[in-house]
Amino acid sequence: MNRDTDGHLYEALEKYKLKGLHVAIFGSSGGAWYESLCLYYGCRSVTTIEYNAIVSRYPQVTLRTPEQCDHNPILFDAAL
């Protein structure tokens, strides 16, 4: 990850609270890093929308492809 991106992300996570929110992540880092950060900052659940397969052992993380979202849309409280 880019250090500038990380710094901006941490600033945003401190400023905009995720506690109890359902968060969408578009284009994950591939290692479930953003998902882990969202859970650390207290989000209720995370849905990652990505073309590539991502492995997550967290029950709060749902993985979907863009095609799956076309057929079954979901509403989110926040997005990264």
Side-chain angles (χ1 to χ4, degrees), residues 1-12 33-34 37:
M1 291 178 84
N2 181 307
R3 285 186 176 176
D4 290 336
T5 302
D6 286 353
H8 294 304
L9 177 61
Y10 288 121
E11 286 177 23
W33 178 247
Y34 294 153
L37 281 175

Side-chain angles (χ1 to χ4, degrees), residues 1 28-36 53-56 58:
M1 291 178 84
S28 182
S29 62
W33 178 247
Y34 294 153
E35 294 82 351
S36 297
I54 298 169
V55 177
S56 174
Y58 294 101

Side-chain angles (χ1 to χ4, degrees), residues 24-62:
I25 297 179
F26 297 93
S28 182
S29 62
W33 178 247
Y34 294 153
E35 294 82 351
S36 297
L37 281 175
C38 288
L39 293 174
Y40 176 81
Y41 278 90
C43 76
R44 174 175 44 93
S45 59
V46 178
T47 298
T48 298
I49 301 163
E50 173 63 69
Y51 289 104
N52 300 312
I54 298 169
V55 177
S56 174
R57 294 187 177 132
Y58 294 101
Q60 307 96 316
V61 176
T62 303

Side-chain angles (χ1 to χ4, degrees), residues 15-35:
K15 184 176 180 179
Y16 303 103
K17 304 303 180 192
L18 297 180
K19 185 170 182 159
L21 301 182
H22 182 187
V23 177
I25 297 179
F26 297 93
S28 182
S29 62
W33 178 247
Y34 294 153
E35 294 82 351

